[in-house]
Amino acid sequence: MSTPARTCDDGQVASGAVDVLVVGAGFAGMYAVLQARRHGFSVLGLEAASGVGGVWYWNRYPGARCDVESIDYSYSFDEDLQRDWTWSERYATQPEILRYAEHVADRYDLRRDYRFDRRVTAAAFDGTDANWTVTTETGECHRARWLVFATGSLSAPNRPDVPGLDDFGGLLLQTSRWPHTEVDLTGRRVGVIGTGSSGVQLIPRVAEVAARLTVFQRTANYTVPVLNRQFAPHEWNEIQRAYPERRRRSWASLAGTPHVAYHKQYAEIDEAERLAAFEARWREGGVLFGKTFDGQAVDPEINEAARRFAERKVREIVRDPQTAEDLLPSGHPVGAKRICTDSGYLETFNRGNVELVNLRRDPMVRITERGVETARASHDLDVLVLATGFDAMTGALTRIDVRGPRGDVLAHTWAHGPLTHLGLGVPGFPNLFVLTGPGSPAGLSNLPLAAEQQVNWLMELLANCRQRGIRTVEARADAAQAWTRRVDEAARATLFPRADSWYLGANVSGKPRVFMPYIGGFKPYADRCDDDRDGGYAGWHVGDVTTADAEDLAGPRSEPPAPVRGGPRTAT
Ligand code: N01
């Protein structure tokens, strides 16, 4: 490819070049802006939304809450912040998490470095001055030495390819773009397409008020009651006392939370104890059921035992035998798609105003002006909700026209699946870094901690470059190929590739089937990043402007910088 890097006309450039430009104001982006500032860099944040919060800004559908416990799903970098914020519930709702994000933005005065309502549409690297030029939908251009994409793994909505979607005459909603004003569904005929985490949370809330709710299910999912509860005021003293140890365990864990599997191995115990262990996890509530035993995501026998247990729960709860049958997940191992967490989801199907349409038996034919037509029936609707998920991990980035100095286009480089070194850098794109994206453990970990780990590592690298007068850093092609192979091999060692999940891109038609997140664990990943640094950033070309062709990517072009010690906190 030989497309030249594009530059803005002078009249379009909104400001002089900054050191660091961060795209996105979710948890990763906000922390990147803060740490860039603390490291003494000039920084600019661009955000498509009108405020901070990322996924928690957009996903405002009724019932939205996080499936990671609130006391874990928060930043750990500042003990004063941790002490000053009080979560009201075990699993926080979307409004409370958004309030937390806004509180963080206020506390560190982050908005002063952000421009909102600026959707980034293009970025091009100018090899002559080693700067990125970043263009927004509003036509603004900005220049920066280092470009950090914190655009989120679950942010680009997946609009299903269903014939006639635009013909629908009623109100069409999407969970990931829910209106900011209240939507009154009282007494209306509502249809919901999609039964992943979003649909499973939304459906019970809609059923409470709708005249009639029709759920269009393509794949039944494993769902576990979340068993949410309010925190009592006196609990906070105990939570605060235990926080340091809880965080220490989380930083040393595989998923960024302090939880561990059952204390005995599945093979060592009898059937009664196995069932008791599953029951205990079920009663604990939430996604941990998917990790009851060590090896549950790897060993088909343990996984099958978990499946049988979950099946019994569905049959106990759902009264109509055919509906229960339709709600039984089949064809994918427990946990290989993100387990859903619910508040009364299965019970919803015992209501008289709720109908389940199993699209495997009664396929969707088209959307019409009046509603949804399946092979066997026409369903008239006032409101149709798409709970159809995301073009996950890569979608937010490949929708941006990102061009490197040798004409590489990111969407083309990733056409057969994402190629990254440590999920952080992409060969062909110097000075560009991706946070919580493909090749990182973020999609399978507690995101705020995953973001902190990557940002800490990145800022140490950038500070190091500044100290050494280094203008460019680019992931080496061989390192990226090796890391991408490792991401793939780690997934293949588990049962995860057996499910048509968003981890694999299988939910988006035409997307290559490649397992995208690193499943080897949060702490092992952090250690791998630290090894890379301690090896003198061995996976990167560290030097001046990269003008070489692909063959030249085989070795470092200048002395790599020595690691800077005593920087921000890391996972160890
Ligand atoms: O999206 P999904 P989501 N016709 O992709 C169906 C996180 N999250 O927004 O499975 C009919 O899981 C699709 O069917 P199938 C969490 O990590 C967390 O619900 O592809 N159906 C599926 O049922 C989660 O995993 C929280 O066969 C179609 C559904 O739409 C991730 O976000 C809350 C279809 C999409 O499910 C994504 O969850 C919400 C079509 N053409 C989200 N296209 C919590 O923290 C798609 N579907 C609790």
Side-chain angles (χ1 to χ4, degrees):
M1 263 174 274
S2 59
T3 315
R6 292 162 313 153
T7 53
C8 287
D9 298 337
D10 282 347
Q12 290 175 284
V13 177
S15 59
V18 292
D19 296 324
V20 180
L21 192 152
V22 176
V23 185
F27 275 65
M30 286 201 297
Y31 185 61
V33 164
L34 177 63
Q35 287 303 333
R37 191 197 282 168
R38 285 181 167 181
H39 278 76
F41 293 115
S42 57
V43 58
L44 171 69
L46 296 175
E47 165 59 57
S50 302
V52 299
V55 70
W56 302 106
Y57 174 92
W58 296 104
N59 286 251
R60 295 169 183 246
Y61 59 88
R65 67 172 79 238
C66 188
D67 60 7
V68 177
E69 287 174 88
S70 55
I71 56 177
D72 297 319
Y73 193 86
S74 54
Y75 292 115
S76 73
F77 68 89
D78 182 342
E79 286 182 9
D80 292 337
L81 166 68
Q82 192 164 275
R83 201 169 26 247
D84 292 349
W85 182 263
T86 304
W87 294 102
S88 67
E89 299 179 68
R90 183 179 174 207
Y91 293 97
T93 58
Q94 172 272 331
E96 189 169 25
I97 301 171
L98 186 57
R99 278 200 301 280
Y100 173 76
E102 287 169 347
H103 168 77
V104 171
D106 290 342
R107 189 177 177 112
Y108 304 101
D109 193 15
L110 296 180
R111 289 188 188 84
R112 80 172 142 92
D113 288 326
Y114 268 105
R115 292 187 185 200
F116 296 97
D117 301 305
R118 304 292 199 283
R119 178 171 294 283
V120 169
T121 52
F125 189 77
D126 183 347
T128 53
D129 66 354
N131 272 324
W132 281 94
T133 300
V134 176
T135 312
T136 68
E137 209 169 42
T138 53
E140 275 177 21
C141 289
H142 300 275
R143 290 205 174 100
R145 169 61 41 83
W146 311 105
L147 175 58
V148 180
F149 279 111
T151 40
S153 282
L154 297 164
S155 51
N158 176 34
R159 196 175 156 91
D161 192 11
V162 183
L165 197 51
D166 293 329
D167 298 340
F168 182 58
L171 179 62
L172 184 66
L173 297 170
Q174 188 149 14
T175 46
S176 53
R177 288 291 180 273
W178 199 262
H180 288 209
T181 48
E182 192 167 333
V183 183
D184 187 5
L185 300 175
T186 308
R188 308 186 82 180
R189 298 167 303 170
V190 182
V192 176
I193 302 177
T195 53
S197 298
S198 303
V200 161
Q201 288 184 331
L202 171 80
I203 283 162
R205 295 287 298 276
V206 176
E208 287 165 11
V209 296
R212 182 143 199 84
L213 168 62
T214 312
V215 176
F216 299 94
Q217 173 196 275
R218 189 164 69 182
T219 304
N221 271 300
Y222 294 97
T223 178
V224 179
V226 74
L227 302 184
N228 187 42
R229 65 180 177 80
Q230 297 278 320
F231 285 126
H234 69 264
E235 276 181 272
W236 267 93
N237 290 338
E238 178 51 27
I239 287 169
Q240 286 298 342
R241 198 193 57 70
Y243 238 137
E245 173 59 13
R246 192 174 178 105
R247 291 297 199 187
R248 192 197 60 72
R249 295 211 315 270
S250 298
W251 277 97
S253 72
L254 292 175
T257 63
H259 305 289
V260 291
Y262 190 63
H263 62 284
K264 291 187 202 163
Q265 295 297 310
Y266 180 86
E268 290 168 0
I269 57 178
D270 64 16
E271 186 61 12
E273 190 171 351
R274 290 169 182 168
L275 287 177
F278 282 129
E279 184 66 34
R281 268 297 159 97
W282 193 272
R283 285 175 187 277
E284 219 176 297
V287 294
L288 293 176
F289 176 75
K291 301 174 185 173
T292 304
F293 287 103
D294 271 342
Q296 192 170 310
V298 174
D299 183 332
E301 186 193 340
I302 308 176
N303 202 281
E304 171 59 17
R307 190 201 65 73
R308 283 196 305 273
F309 184 90
E311 177 177 333
R312 270 201 300 281
K313 291 289 182 190
V314 175
R315 292 192 194 282
E316 276 168 27
I317 296 168
V318 180
R319 286 199 288 270
D320 176 59
Q322 182 58 58
T323 307
E325 200 64 35
D326 287 339
L327 286 166
L328 289 177
S330 62
H332 70 272
V334 177
K337 283 182 169 214
R338 178 77 172 171
I339 286 193
C340 303
T341 59
D342 72 89
S343 302
Y345 176 69
L346 294 171
E347 290 83 348
T348 298
F349 294 92
N350 293 332
R351 298 175 67 109
N353 67 334
V354 177
E355 181 188 3
L356 179 68
V357 178
N358 181 343
L359 297 175
R360 305 268 177 199
R361 286 193 290 108
D362 183 11
M364 193 176 291
V365 177
R366 67 178 72 83
I367 313 280
T368 66
E369 194 186 347
R370 296 167 62 96
V372 172
E373 218 175 276
T374 59
R376 296 184 188 170
S378 289
H379 305 268
D380 287 356
L381 302 169
D382 303 313
V383 181
L384 178 60
V385 183
L386 306 177
T388 45
F390 301 90
D391 181 353
M393 309 221 76
T394 53
L397 278 167
T398 54
R399 291 175 189 193
I400 299 172
D401 181 7
V402 182
R403 289 169 190 254
R406 297 182 295 281
D408 302 72
V409 176
L410 186 64
H412 297 172
T413 301
W414 284 4
H416 302 291
L419 175 73
T420 73
H421 179 49
L422 298 173
L424 284 158
V426 187
F429 300 88
N431 297 10
L432 178 152
F433 300 94
V434 179
L435 297 177
T436 73
S440 87
L444 297 160
S445 305
N446 180 18
L447 190 123
L449 264 53
E452 285 183 18
Q453 181 271 332
Q454 284 196 319
V455 170
N456 291 345
W457 187 94
L458 175 59
M459 291 303 153
E460 191 175 350
L461 169 65
L462 301 190
N464 205 319
C465 289
R466 178 180 51 197
Q467 191 186 330
R468 297 296 203 91
I470 288 164
R471 294 204 309 169
T472 62
V473 173
E474 179 178 342
R476 292 170 54 122
D478 57 349
Q481 276 148 11
W483 178 250
T484 302
R485 238 185 345 266
R486 187 160 163 179
V487 170
D488 181 59
E489 284 163 7
R492 282 177 199 277
T494 72
L495 301 172
F496 274 72
R498 297 191 190 181
D500 289 337
S501 65
W502 59 259
Y503 303 130
L504 268 167
N507 62 327
V508 175
S509 56
K511 200 166 170 174
R513 197 182 167 92
V514 173
F515 199 86
M516 294 179 283
Y518 176 58
I519 205 171
F522 170 62
K523 175 69 164 70
Y525 169 81
D527 288 345
R528 178 66 187 80
C529 290
D530 290 350
D531 288 347
D532 183 274
R533 175 201 61 201
D534 295 346
Y537 297 105
W540 306 82
H541 290 296
V542 181
D544 207 339
V545 182
T546 305
T547 52
D549 59 20
E551 277 72 38
D552 289 332
L553 295 174
R557 57 194 56 250
S558 71
E559 190 63 24
V564 174
R565 295 294 174 197
R569 174 172 156 186
T570 68
T572 47

